[in-house]
Amino acid sequence: SQTIHQWPATLVQPVGSPLSLECTVEGTSNPNLYWYRQAAGRGLQLLFYSVGIGQISSEVPQNLSASRPQDRQFILSSKKLLLSDSGFYLCAWRAPGARGYTFGSGTRLTVV
Amino acid sequence: AQTVTQSQPEMSVQEAETVTLSCTYDTSESDYYLFWYKQPPSRQMILVIRQEAYKQQNATENRFSVNFQKAAKSFSLKISDSQLGDAAMYFCAPAGAGNMLTFGGGTRLMVKP
């Protein structure tokens, strides 16, 4: 069966520090991968998506970047965090041609 | 581009009763799906129900059903026999041809014992 792993669950980072959040999927090949951000009490905003290794599309210009070094690995990064980067980050995957998304358990990032 | 409006920031329902959460959306696409996701306090996003826009029949999953009005671009969620475990944020989300989910602002559902 397919599973999605996302870590860490919670992260507190100082302003100006780097960030690396990782997401991996098991049990499937060539998944479509997504990074969403959720501000407190709000809906989810799509940040990046990837349809294959090395292929990254950005939906919202910002202080973050994404990479897909392996088929089932999706990484969200920042060189220098801002206070406004605080939020809840969710990774999701979808099988090519399928309509259903499966979400990871999320990372709560607090920038102080 | 798609937009989604959930006009009820908060709703409350008595345990065992029925509640309906509203959602309207705007899309220029003809082929799309619609989803309702539940986000409990754990913040895990859980798929509740989905509807294919080309189907006229409303989707049903146990106590959860939708009222899909394609012409009105309305997609409401009905929860019957509400349970304490139904308390959560509920998000409506259409997905177009590019299969990108667009989320509404959410409705917080409280269930009173």
Side-chain angles (χ1 to χ4, degrees), chain B residues 55-75:
Chain B
K55 288 187 176 179
Q56 291 186 336
Q57 186 174 5
N58 289 323
T60 299
E61 287 286 346
N62 300 314
R63 298 183 295 107
F64 298 88
S65 61
V66 300
N67 183 3
F68 175 46
Q69 303 290 327
K70 189 172 183 178
K73 294 182 179 176
S74 171
F75 183 59

Side-chain angles (χ1 to χ4, degrees), chain A residues 76-98:
Chain A
L76 183 69
S77 304
S78 174
K79 292 182 178 178
K80 289 186 178 181
L81 283 169
L82 306 172
L83 287 174
S84 57
D85 292 323
S86 294
F88 189 65
Y89 290 82
L90 281 157
C91 179
W93 78 275
R94 179 179 64 83

